[in-house]
Amino acid sequence: MKRILVLFLVLVTTIFAEVKTELTSYKVLVDKDGVKSKVEATEATPGDIIGYNFFISNGTEEALERISPTIPVPAGTTFIPDEGDPKNYLVSINERDFSPYPIMQDGVPVDDSQYRLVSWNIEKLEPGESLNLEIQVKVNGGVN
């Protein structure tokens, strides 16, 4: 009976140990003194700054290796490169190939409104570790 109970507990632990991810958004407000605050993003208008936070937590008993969490840059927005965190991100303009920021075409940096994805190469996320990744975008006046 004890063996069955121990086996059951191991199975239950395995079932509930998981990798958790969550992507949330917020609006950035700047007061008259230049102090930034984050509020719930229920709607956006041209010129608004919207932030995206990607949270990943390793609830397994093994390290996650060589993962590439990615945050999409919505159409109609412009990526704000100084707000990417951590700073070692990669960007894509074609949703397939990734390069360090900025991507150059014919010796000229691609306009920030052309970026579609932001990604990070994470070598290892140990059991019990979590990570927050963040980008911000500015809502354009029209659809890109």
Side-chain angles (χ1 to χ4, degrees), residues 70-75 91-99 103 114-119:
T70 302
I71 301 175
V73 177
V91 289
S92 175
I93 57 175
N94 63 10
E95 300 182 3
R96 183 186 62 238
D97 303 312
F98 289 87
S99 301
I103 292 176
Q114 299 303 307
Y115 295 109
R116 299 287 42 109
L117 297 172
V118 180
S119 185

Side-chain angles (χ1 to χ4, degrees), residues 21-79:
T21 62
E22 181 179 21
L23 180 64
T24 58
S25 63
Y26 57 88
K27 187 185 290 191
V28 177
L29 299 180
V30 182
D31 69 14
K32 61 181 169 57
D33 297 321
V35 177
K36 294 180 180 180
S37 61
K38 298 176 183 179
V39 299
E40 182 180 3
T42 56
E43 60 184 14
T45 57
D48 285 348
I49 304 297
I50 304 297
Y52 295 95
N53 182 279
F54 184 85
F55 173 79
I56 182 169
S57 175
N58 183 1
T60 70
E61 294 182 7
E62 296 181 21
L64 302 176
E65 296 184 7
R66 294 178 294 283
I67 59 173
S68 298
T70 302
I71 301 175
V73 177
T77 66
T78 297
F79 175 60

